[in-house]
Each structure stands twice: as C-alpha cells, then as structure tokens.
Amino acid sequence: MSFNTRLLFFSTLTLAMIFGFMHLIIPEYNFERLHIFLFNLCSGGSIIVYFTENKGVMSLKNKVFFILTFIYAFLAFFHMYVYAIVVSLILVAIVEMVRIRRFSFFPFDFFTTKIPTYDKFHHASLLCMSLGLLLSTFAIYNHEFSKLLPFEKFELNTFFLGFSFPVSLISLSMIFKMMHRAKTPIGRYTKITIFWTINLGVIIFFIFILFESAILELVISLILVVAVVTTLFLYINLGVKEQQKAFLTSGICFLIATAITGVAYIAIYFYPDYNTAENLKLLRNIHRIISLYGWNLSGLVVISRISDFPIRLHSGRIIFLHWITVFLLAPMGYYSLTFAALAVISYIIFLYFVFFSKCVDDTCKVM
C-alpha cells in the first residue's frame, strides 16, 4: 500500500473517531451513525476492496467506491434518504463487480471443503457488504416511505451496525490464512464449522433483533462467544509466529470482549433493577468502542500492511497503547472532552506507528 493510500485511510480513520466525540461539542446532533459509517464503510469497505483487487494501488473502482461511501455517510447523516438510496445501489454494483471478478456470482465455494476457510471468509466479507448495502437501502425505504414490514427495528439505525460485519469477516479471513499448521481433517473441519457458526449465527441474530426476542438473542450470542473463543484457541496453537500474529491475537481478544459486552447488553434486559436507559447506553457505547477501535481496527491495520511485515516497531508497547486507548481513554472520552482529546491523541499515535513505520529490510518505501 502506497504512502498516499495509507495517509488517506489514516486520515479517514482519525476523522471517524473525532466524529465519535463530536456530541460533546455539538450536543444537538447525534453523530453515532456518521462516525460508524466513516469507520466501517468508508475506511473498512475501501480497504476490503483494495485488499481483494490486490493491485498495490487503489484502482479507479476503489477510488470511486471510497468517494461514494463518503457521500453516502453524509447523506444518511443529513437524512437525505432518496439520494442515499441511489448512491447505495451504485456501491452495491461496485462491490459485486469486485466480488464476482475475484470469486463468482453464486458462492459455491461456501459449500466445498476444497476451498480454504480463509477464502470462504473473504468471499463472505464481500457478499455481506453487498447485502448490507441492499438491506440498509430497503430499511430506509421501509421506514421512511412504505412501511411494508411492521418491524419497529427494521430501520437504518439497526442495519448501519451491520457494516461492521464485513470488516470482521475480512479480519477472520486473515486470521485463518495464518493457521498454516491446521493440516489434519479435524483442524480443517473445525475451521469450516466455525465459518458456518459465525456467519449463520450473525444472520439469525439480526432476525431475532427484528422480532425483539431477547432470550433467543442471548442464546445465539453465547454460541458466537464459543465460536470466537475456539478461534482464539486455534490461532494461538496453529497460527504462524510472525509479527502480525501479535496484532491479530490482540484483535481476537478484543472480539471476545465485544462478545461479552454484547451478551451483557442483552442479559441486562432480564434484570429490571439494572435495565435503565443510562446502563444500556453505557454498555452500548463500550461495546461499540471495543468493536470498532479494538477488534475491527486490529484487522484493518494488519491487512493494510500485510505485504510490509515485519515492520520496525515494538509490537508489545503499541498493542498496550491500543488497549489503554480502547478500554480507558475512549470510553471516558465519550463523557469528557479532556479524555476525548487524550483518546484521539493516543489513537493517532497508534495509527501513525502501524501505518507509517518502515519495513525491517527497507524494501518498502513508507516514509
């Protein structure tokens, strides 16, 4: 990835976090939707397209996709839904062109053991992005114009969270690709089982959200926790010991924390004494911060520098800074402008080191 491309994503990811704290400065607006779109769709989606095309530079399709996601994010934020629908459909067409060129129109590779699990996750990431854009478009149309479906939660504020899933899937693709030592049939079928558990689990989870069934949401959440913990166990034992393994292992730990906070958010509904708007908001914010700036960011930075590793940085210290940012500064920053500023500074330092550190052998020109 060229310096200018890394600078572009560095800037967009930074802007996403800044908008996450903008409610402290302009409280009359809700910036949650905007900052999640900037992170997951603009940055995450564009990095997925870049990684899939594997051209070393951003293609014309990739550049158009990035610009349109930026436009889409602000159209959705300003409730300009007719234009947002048009842009969303164009984005679907771009993703599908990239997906079909790299894989196929119908995902036959999901149903064969001959295709590596990491390719299944990669294909699922692109397909999920297309479907997410289509579902968000239909959600806008349903909620704002037609009311075809009676579900109260079938709206953009539910489905914009789904754009985090393609980023999760591409990160899992990278994790499973590094499990080179899983040569036995047991290891191979275990990975395939995890693939189906995670993908079907998330789809079923969203269906249960629409039907507002807290018990079923909790059951599926616990199943997903088991799948994630199993992934961590496999990766620790089967993953190749390279520099990026530390970042991806840290990322899976963030994912487990995300799963735990998700379970806690659902479980709190069963305890009336704790089921208050303030507690729900606190858990939702912690869950969102860990998901975006912990798990998703870990995968994106590794994918962005995948051809450059090993790079010149102290992985342990940088990962420690990452955890301090995600678990301390960012959650407190949601309520305090001082901590918000510290979180942004810490976040920028982390991004700077992982995006712009030189290669160990100086074969890549990053500075």
Side-chain angles (χ1 to χ4, degrees):
M1 185 177 285
S2 69
F3 175 86
N4 289 337
T5 304
R6 286 198 302 276
L7 182 61
L8 177 67
F9 291 131
F10 170 86
S11 302
T12 309
L13 289 168
T14 301
L15 188 64
M17 174 173 262
I18 290 173
F19 273 112
F21 299 127
M22 194 62 72
H23 64 281
L24 297 171
I25 301 173
I26 312 175
E28 57 268 25
Y29 287 97
N30 183 359
F31 292 93
E32 182 179 11
R33 182 189 296 179
L34 179 59
H35 98 90
I36 290 177
F37 274 151
L38 288 174
F39 190 101
N40 282 331
L41 189 57
C42 298
S43 300
S46 298
I47 290 173
I48 291 171
V49 171
Y50 174 91
F51 180 68
T52 303
E53 292 190 315
N54 193 28
K55 294 182 177 180
V57 295
M58 288 185 75
S59 67
L60 178 60
K61 284 198 295 285
N62 202 173
K63 292 175 182 176
V64 171
F65 180 87
F66 175 82
I67 294 170
L68 289 179
T69 55
F70 218 88
I71 293 172
Y72 178 78
F74 280 92
L75 287 174
F77 174 71
F78 287 111
H79 305 284
M80 301 173 69
Y81 292 125
V82 174
Y83 299 107
I85 287 174
V86 174
V87 172
S88 179
L89 294 176
I90 298 172
L91 289 172
V92 171
I94 294 174
V95 175
E96 283 300 285
M97 283 191 290
V98 173
R99 182 181 73 86
I100 293 169
R101 184 177 180 84
R102 173 63 175 81
F103 296 101
S104 60
F105 175 74
F106 187 82
F108 292 105
D109 47 2
F110 291 180
F111 307 98
T112 174
T113 58
K114 296 179 181 179
I115 301 298
T117 306
Y118 62 82
D119 270 341
K120 298 179 192 289
F121 273 113
H122 190 166
H123 192 172
S125 174
L126 291 164
L127 185 59
C128 180
M129 186 157 35
S130 296
L131 293 176
L133 285 163
L134 284 174
L135 282 173
S136 65
T137 297
F138 183 56
I140 292 173
Y141 178 74
N142 181 75
H143 190 262
E144 300 295 330
F145 304 109
S146 69
K147 305 294 182 182
L148 289 173
L149 298 180
F151 302 113
E152 182 180 346
K153 291 191 175 182
F154 194 74
E155 58 169 340
L156 188 59
N157 282 342
T158 297
F159 282 93
F160 80 85
L161 297 172
F163 288 115
S164 179
F165 194 42
V167 181
S168 292
L169 291 175
I170 201 66
S171 300
L172 286 167
S173 172
M174 184 57 58
I175 287 168
F176 277 82
K177 190 172 185 177
M178 293 185 65
M179 293 185 193
H180 297 318
R181 291 186 288 167
K183 302 294 186 182
T184 64
I186 294 177
R188 185 166 63 252
Y189 284 107
T190 300
K191 292 195 293 183
I192 293 173
T193 301
I194 292 172
F195 168 79
W196 283 109
T197 301
I198 291 175
N199 282 276
L200 292 179
V202 171
I203 292 171
I204 295 170
F205 182 75
F206 268 97
I207 293 173
F208 289 161
I209 287 177
L210 293 181
F211 285 96
E212 300 185 57
S213 175
I215 293 177
L216 294 177
E217 288 178 34
L218 183 61
V219 171
I220 293 296
S221 296
L222 291 172
I223 292 173
L224 290 172
V225 169
V226 173
V228 172
V229 172
T230 304
T231 300
L232 176 61
F233 175 80
L234 287 176
Y235 189 58
I236 289 175
N237 288 278
L238 302 176
V240 177
K241 294 183 179 180
E242 298 175 350
Q243 187 183 33
Q244 55 268 46
K245 184 177 181 180
F247 289 95
L248 291 174
T249 302
S250 174
I252 302 176
C253 291
F254 277 124
L255 180 58
I256 292 173
T258 301
I260 291 172
T261 54
V263 169
Y265 183 81
I266 299 169
I268 201 173
Y269 281 98
F270 299 98
Y271 298 92
D273 292 340
Y274 300 97
N275 184 9
T276 64
E278 183 178 349
N279 286 340
L280 287 172
K281 185 177 181 180
L282 176 63
L283 274 174
R284 185 174 65 249
N285 287 334
I286 293 174
H287 177 79
R288 172 176 50 81
I289 288 169
I290 298 173
S291 175
L292 290 178
Y293 304 114
W295 160 238
N296 283 356
L297 184 61
S298 297
L300 290 179
V301 295
V302 169
I303 291 169
S304 299
R305 299 302 306 273
I306 192 61
S307 61
D308 301 332
F309 283 103
I311 54 179
R312 291 179 177 174
L313 55 77
H314 193 294
S315 302
R317 293 174 185 173
I318 293 300
I319 290 172
F320 178 74
L321 176 66
H322 191 192
W323 279 74
I324 291 295
T325 304
V326 171
F327 276 100
L328 179 63
L329 299 180
M332 296 181 71
Y334 189 83
Y335 302 97
S336 165
L337 190 58
T338 300
F339 278 99
L342 292 173
V344 171
I345 292 171
S346 176
Y347 178 71
I348 289 174
I349 293 172
F350 172 79
L351 288 181
Y352 173 79
F353 276 103
V354 295
F355 269 106
F356 301 115
S357 293
K358 292 182 178 181
C359 299
V360 169
D361 59 4
D362 287 326
T363 56
C364 55
K365 306 292 184 182
V366 299
M367 294 296 288

